[in-house]
Amino acid sequence: MALRLGDDAPNFTAETTEGHIDFHQWLGTGWGILFSHPADYTPVCTTELGAVARMRSEFDKRGVKCAAVSVDPLASHQGWVGDINETQRCTMNFPIIADPDRKVAQLYDMIHPNADATFTVRSVFVIGPDKKIKLTLTYPASTGRNFLEILRVIDSLQLTAKYKVATPANWEEGQDCIITPAVKDAEIPGLFPKGARHIKPYLRYTPQPNR
Ligand code: BEZ
């Protein structure tokens, strides 16, 4: 069955390019991203893994660990890492999970048979410190993902987990946030000392609270 927001992120053990992992133990107490790619030695996937490796410090800043998965075996992943490093100006710095028996792919519903019977689609799961699913994304094999967008969503998720705000369309770090509807006008001065702009009774903005 498909995983939905708020569901427990299934645990598993697996071989990876950085050794054997128990997924939940490996995640520890922070955030995580698990993303699938269709197959090793493929062009779009090569660029995606290189992009994430080059962005490692941005994920670290946010306390987010990254893991990729595909249904190819470990020896294939290990060989491919050399190509990723060579072609993408990076040094791979996060694990690629080997999933030749499709255990992880099935747990996370990453094979969409009407798209491809065998290979995983480009799924992304953002997992919170409570091991719950906070975001899911599914892209087709032909479209490489925008990992800056994934960082942007993580910024929003981490902010809205702490403050009674939501983030508007195309929001980026540093921009005004929306005060959640459950907050009463009378509570605003106490919760948002930087002030508020009232556009409509249900549309109230405040400067980003944690900056
Ligand atoms: C790729 O990563 O380039 C790719 C993989 C499967 C289908 C199409 C493209």
Side-chain angles (χ1 to χ4, degrees), residues 14-84:
E15 300 307 320
T16 84
T17 50
E18 298 193 353
H20 183 85
I21 62 165
D22 172 295
F23 186 55
H24 281 189
Q25 267 180 23
W26 175 81
L27 283 170
T29 55
W31 292 71
I33 297 180
L34 178 66
F35 64 102
S36 57
H37 56 86
D40 293 1
Y41 296 101
T42 49
V44 176
C45 300
T46 301
T47 63
E48 287 191 321
L49 293 179
V52 173
R54 291 193 306 273
M55 291 164 70
R56 168 72 190 259
S57 63
E58 291 299 321
F59 288 105
D60 284 351
K61 258 191 233 168
R62 293 160 174 85
V64 180
K65 286 184 157 183
C66 300
V69 58
S70 90
V71 296
D72 287 314
L74 184 60
S76 166
H77 288 353
Q78 284 164 334
W80 186 33
V81 163
D83 282 8
I84 297 167

Side-chain angles (χ1 to χ4, degrees), residues 186-193:
E187 297 174 301
I188 288 178
L191 289 173
F192 304 106

Side-chain angles (χ1 to χ4, degrees), residues 92-108:
M92 273 297 285
N93 48 25
F94 62 92
I96 310 176
I97 295 164
D99 192 31
D101 56 5
R102 295 167 169 64
K103 181 174 71 179
V104 179
Q106 275 161 13
L107 275 175
Y108 281 82

Side-chain angles (χ1 to χ4, degrees), residues 126-155:
V126 176
I127 299 161
D130 56 1
K131 310 284 185 295
K132 305 269 187 208
I133 305 281
K134 305 297 181 187
L135 168 111
T136 66
L137 277 178
T138 308
Y139 277 47
S142 51
T143 305
R145 286 158 284 201
N146 183 337
F147 289 92
L148 291 173
E149 165 62 4
I150 292 165
L151 281 180
R152 191 191 73 88
V153 178
I154 289 167
D155 285 341

Side-chain angles (χ1 to χ4, degrees), residues 129-203:
D130 56 1
K131 310 284 185 295
K132 305 269 187 208
I133 305 281
K134 305 297 181 187
L135 168 111
T136 66
L137 277 178
T138 308
Y139 277 47
S142 51
T143 305
R145 286 158 284 201
N146 183 337
F147 289 92
L148 291 173
E149 165 62 4
I150 292 165
L151 281 180
R152 191 191 73 88
V153 178
I154 289 167
D155 285 341
S156 172
L157 285 167
Q158 294 187 338
L159 180 69
T160 59
K162 266 183 115 173
Y163 299 92
K164 293 183 174 173
V165 294
T167 56
N170 299 332
W171 175 86
E172 293 197 358
E173 177 73 15
Q175 295 178 348
D176 286 355
C177 301
I178 288 173
I179 298 171
T180 53
V183 173
K184 296 188 173 65
D185 280 351
E187 297 174 301
I188 288 178
L191 289 173
F192 304 106
K194 293 178 185 164
R197 285 186 292 125
H198 294 242
I199 311 297
K200 292 278 181 192
Y202 59 85
L203 181 58

